[in-house]
Amino acid sequence: MNLKRQLLLVSLLTLVLPWAGCEFIRETEIALREGQQQMLAGTAQAIADSLSQFPEEFLASRQGAGSGGEQLYAHPLEREPLLDGYFDDWTLAADSQRTLRGVDGSIRFVLGTIRRQLWLYVTVRDADVVYADAADPADAERVTLVSTDQAGLPFAIDFVAEAPGRIVARIAGVPEPRIAAHWQDVPGGYQLEARVPRGLLGPELGLTVHNAARTRGVVRSSTWSGARPGRLVTPSPFLTSVLRNYAQPGLRLIVTDVSGWQLAIAGGIAGGGRGRLERSGWLRLAYDAILEPGEEAALAEPDPSGRERQPYVAAALSGRPASDWFRAAETGRAVVAVAQPVWSGNVQTGAVVLQQGTDAILSLTSDALTRLVSFTLIATLVAAGALLGYASWLSQRVRRLSRGARRALDDSRAHAELPSLTAGDEIGDLSRSFASVLKRLGEYNDYLRSLASKLSHELRTPLTVVRSSLENLEHEELPEDARRYAGRARDGVERLKNILGAMSEASRVEELMGSAEPEDFDLDRVLEGAVAGYADAWPARRFRYERDVEATEMRGAPELIVQMLDKLVDNAVDFSADGDEIRVALTGDDASLTISVTNPGPPLPAKMRGQLFDSMVSVRPDAADSHLGLGLYVARLIAEGHRGSIRADNTDGGVCFAVTLARR
């Protein structure tokens, strides 16, 4: 992984900052919400202490509770409905209707109260509605309210229709003009809407429905559905007026009896909390991700049935203060709720529920989140851009240093000129260290290059003295043993002469490369003539020349190229046997030409392939040959002098030396 990518990954660590900020916002929201819960709990305790002075308002709803029948609840109505047999003008939600106990859902009803009037709405699914006959109204559809009088005796209010429209209610068969009712036919059944003065009813109330069945035009049987009378629970106007004194904007107060029935409701939760979060989808997702999830806010609404069954309310009805909170999935706003039991002496009479929205908290946290995301995004982009720019600058310096070191090593003189030598940082130190190493390497290479000429110059005179002395000694009368030793000494002098000649040749080639005049020539013609001469010089070998390129013209020194080819062919002959084929090939492209010499000799050792073309390096097995390995070194000098390169590779059953030369 390069330096840019490494620093780019490091820049991603700046994302820890928004994460920490989000965690801080989340903890802040939790702390603010808990503080709001504590404040509401204190307010609820104060209201509960105030309501404990009115136990009769709580206990009034418990009159008649000993019958054990189903408890009915009369919802408070904001305005009086129109008596027309329809529910659409009731100020209640549709799910406030209850299913009559013991029925499969085909009978639903709801009770409401306003200005000392009890309103009843009943809807019945019945495929065959049987209306009453004026002569015998017994076998017909009937809705009955069952209540108790002052003596505790039950009585019934019957609603029987002879036809759709306004009907007359009867008590014990006697019409009661104070009760108004309307019977409305609808597809698949009928609906009844009635208004009953609260004074006609006792503390208990029950509802039954008589379903008449008709078979072949004759009423055969009928079925009663319903339950025995139970406690009728109605809201307390007095408690409602007391709660209104505590009502504040955005605060809802609910008072229940010990069974959870709503006795009074005041105030409401503000519907705010719709700001920038709704206008920004990505910010909405971020806000949902960091905030603590809660129950759906709709669950905090008063129960449509009129009876609170939330766990925190149930805990308060058991005598323990409790709290809970809810969050709206659409807006993110939360609702904090607390429930406090109401005690009158040692008797629990009910509970107080306080609910308040967290619009202020939502606004605070959403604004903080907006600023955090904006600032963090800018900071992350700036940090990533700065690190990327710094990485580009730093990697560029490293690349320049790498290219400089590579050029210095590739250069035959190993120049120690590197970039960033004057820099005061670590790259400057590295550059200066490289420069020092390259300088010493260059000095050593210069010493090696001049070593051959120095040795040739220094050894030539003493070698001449030894050679002349041996020649003079041969003219003297010597014993046979002495003459044999003198012959061996003369052979050694000849070998030293050849070595000095090779060393001088390397020096001359370097000088010729600097003074040779380049010319245009046909490389194919030069190689073809040279290979023909090799065939005459080494008749025991087979030479083959191949050309795989059309244009073979180039610019250079043909005599030096032939000298280079001599070294390569001589090397191939030394590592081949009689009868072996030595192949010389010419290939190339528009920019360069390549001369390859292939012989079937032994493969090159892997450790020597990188040093094969250095001065005085040889892989010949015969150490007594006194071969210094200058031939391939001379070939390399000539190749580099023509802006080319030389390499050696093992092939299947041999070795291939390839020289690439620039055309121009």
Side-chain angles (χ1 to χ4, degrees):
M1 185 180 296
N2 58 30
L3 194 59
K4 282 186 180 180
R5 293 182 179 178
Q6 293 179 18
L7 290 181
L8 186 60
L9 291 178
V10 172
S11 67
L12 296 180
L13 294 177
T14 57
L15 296 178
V16 174
L17 297 177
W19 173 81
C22 291
E23 287 297 316
F24 175 75
I25 291 176
R26 179 176 180 177
E27 294 298 329
T28 300
E29 198 243 4
I30 294 175
L32 292 175
R33 190 178 66 243
E34 291 177 350
Q36 188 176 16
Q37 284 180 339
Q38 295 177 1
M39 183 272 293
L40 287 181
T43 304
Q45 180 63 58
I47 296 175
D49 293 341
S50 176
L51 296 180
S52 65
Q53 306 174 32
F54 314 106
E56 63 280 359
E57 296 295 330
F58 293 90
L59 298 178
S61 64
R62 295 181 56 80
Q63 296 179 5
S67 64
E70 182 181 4
Q71 299 175 356
L72 301 182
Y73 180 75
H75 296 267
L77 300 177
E78 297 178 4
R79 63 177 180 273
E80 187 172 311
L82 179 64
L83 193 66
D84 57 0
Y86 291 100
F87 185 74
D88 53 0
D89 56 347
W90 284 54
T91 57
L92 297 177
D95 53 0
S96 61
Q97 299 182 31
R98 297 173 58 184
T99 300
L100 191 65
R101 179 180 295 180
V103 184
D104 59 358
S106 60
I107 302 175
R108 295 178 63 81
F109 72 97
V110 65
L111 297 173
T113 179
I114 183 173
R115 290 193 292 273
R116 302 296 298 172
Q117 299 286 335
L118 182 70
W119 285 76
L120 169 67
Y121 175 81
V122 181
T123 177
V124 180
R125 291 201 303 268
D126 191 350
D128 183 15
V129 179
V130 180
Y131 288 100
D133 188 349
D136 185 12
D139 293 329
E141 308 291 345
R142 179 183 294 108
V143 177
T144 302
L145 284 177
V146 181
S147 187
T148 55
D149 56 17
Q150 296 295 330
L153 299 176
F155 68 93
I157 302 176
D158 294 322
F159 298 93
V160 182
E162 297 177 2
R166 289 292 182 101
I167 62 175
V168 177
R170 299 174 182 272
I171 299 178
V174 179
E176 175 54 66
R178 291 176 293 178
I179 300 176
H182 191 101
W183 191 290
Q184 181 66 49
D185 270 356
V186 294
Y190 62 89
Q191 297 172 171
L192 172 68
E193 188 175 18
R195 182 183 67 236
V196 182
R198 184 69 180 84
L200 293 179
L201 302 173
E204 296 182 354
L205 187 67
L207 175 67
T208 59
V209 176
H210 176 247
N211 180 30
R214 190 194 309 269
T215 303
R216 296 179 182 179
V218 179
V219 178
R220 298 294 185 182
S221 61
S222 61
T223 302
W224 286 90
S225 300
R228 56 180 177 172
R231 177 167 63 97
L232 175 63
V233 182
T234 58
S236 169
F238 177 78
L239 293 179
T240 301
S241 64
V242 172
L243 285 188
R244 287 173 181 167
N245 296 329
Y246 297 101
Q248 299 177 7
L251 179 65
R252 179 191 291 138
L253 301 94
I254 303 175
V255 174
T256 70
D257 64 7
V258 292
S259 297
W261 295 106
Q262 301 166 2
L263 299 182
I265 298 178
I269 300 176
R274 300 175 179 267
R276 288 175 297 209
L277 292 178
E278 287 194 342
R279 298 196 297 269
S280 179
W282 64 271
L283 195 57
R284 170 76 263 149
L285 294 177
Y287 197 73
D288 290 339
I290 68 172
L291 292 186
E292 183 181 2
E295 296 184 80
E296 178 57 41
L299 298 177
E301 296 297 321
D303 196 297
S305 68
R307 190 172 188 177
E308 296 298 327
R309 297 183 178 89
Q310 290 281 7
Y312 73 100
V313 178
L317 295 176
S318 300
R320 305 186 310 274
S323 62
D324 203 348
W325 70 282
F326 310 85
R327 188 182 299 283
E330 297 82 7
T331 62
R333 65 186 288 262
V335 176
V336 177
V338 298
Q340 185 74 29
V342 178
W343 297 86
S344 295
N346 295 326
V347 178
Q348 183 177 358
T349 55
V352 176
V353 178
L354 271 65
Q355 299 173 342
Q356 189 175 40
T358 60
D359 294 342
I361 296 177
L362 177 68
S363 177
L364 176 64
T365 54
S366 64
D367 290 343
L369 178 64
T370 302
R371 292 193 297 270
L372 172 67
V373 171
S374 300
F375 293 159
T376 302
L377 180 61
I378 294 174
T380 301
L381 291 177
V382 170
L387 286 175
L388 190 60
Y390 174 73
S392 300
W393 173 72
L394 189 60
S395 60
Q396 184 65 25
R397 293 180 63 195
V398 173
R399 279 197 296 269
R400 286 200 301 267
L401 178 59
S402 176
R403 287 196 296 267
R406 190 180 301 111
R407 285 195 304 269
L409 292 175
D410 292 341
D411 192 351
S412 61
R413 295 197 174 275
H415 291 302
E417 297 177 359
L418 296 176
S420 303
L421 286 175
T422 59
D425 56 5
E426 287 79 0
I427 294 182
D429 294 339
L430 181 61
S431 181
R432 287 186 289 272
S433 298
F434 276 174
S436 177
V437 172
L438 291 174
K439 181 179 179 182
R440 296 183 181 181
L441 181 60
E443 294 173 351
Y444 180 70
N445 286 339
D446 292 339
Y447 168 76
L448 291 179
R449 290 190 184 97
S450 62
L451 179 61
S453 60
K454 291 179 180 179
L455 287 176
S456 176
H457 177 72
E458 295 295 334
L459 294 178
R460 190 176 302 277
T461 299
L463 183 61
T464 302
V465 173
V466 173
R467 182 179 182 184
S468 62
S469 299
L470 289 175
E471 289 177 351
N472 294 331
L473 187 60
E474 289 178 351
H475 297 291
E476 299 293 334
E477 293 292 336
L478 298 174
E480 185 63 27
D481 292 341
R483 188 175 296 277
R484 186 171 61 254
Y485 295 145
R488 292 179 182 176
R490 184 176 180 82
D491 293 340
V493 168
E494 290 298 326
R495 286 196 296 271
L496 287 175
K497 178 183 177 182
N498 294 335
I499 292 173
L500 291 177
M503 296 170 63
S504 299
E505 181 184 14
S507 300
R508 288 196 304 272
V509 168
E510 292 189 78
E511 295 175 359
L512 288 175
M513 291 304 304
S515 60
E517 291 293 334
E519 60 180 272
D520 294 331
F521 65 96
D522 188 350
L523 182 59
D524 173 57
R525 182 175 300 175
V526 172
L527 295 181
E528 188 175 11
V531 172
Y534 299 146
D536 295 337
W538 289 286
R541 306 290 192 275
R542 292 184 296 112
F543 288 89
R544 181 160 60 97
Y545 173 67
E546 297 176 350
R547 187 190 69 180
D548 191 17
V549 61
E550 293 297 331
T552 59
E553 291 77 13
M554 66 170 294
R555 187 173 180 80
E559 67 279 0
L560 291 179
I561 292 179
V562 172
Q563 185 177 357
M564 175 190 69
L565 186 61
D566 290 344
K567 303 299 182 184
L568 297 178
V569 171
D570 181 68
N571 184 78
V573 170
D574 289 344
F575 284 93
S576 61
D578 293 345
D580 287 342
E581 181 183 76
I582 298 175
R583 185 170 63 90
V584 180
L586 177 62
T587 59
D589 51 28
D590 295 338
S592 63
L593 294 171
T594 300
I595 304 171
S596 60
V597 178
T598 306
N599 66 279
L604 295 173
K607 63 180 181 178
M608 295 298 296
R609 293 174 65 179
Q611 308 173 11
L612 194 61
F613 300 99
D614 292 342
S615 177
M616 296 186 180
V617 175
S618 177
V619 294
R620 297 174 187 268
D622 188 3
D625 194 23
S626 301
H627 198 282
L628 294 182
L630 291 173
L632 295 180
Y633 173 67
V634 171
R636 171 192 154 192
L637 292 178
I638 297 174
E640 292 177 350
H642 285 81
R643 303 188 311 279
S645 61
I646 185 171
R647 67 181 185 277
D649 297 303
N650 290 324
T651 62
D652 294 338
V655 177
C656 177
F657 287 85
V659 181
T660 300
L661 305 174
R663 286 182 178 267
R664 299 292 175 183

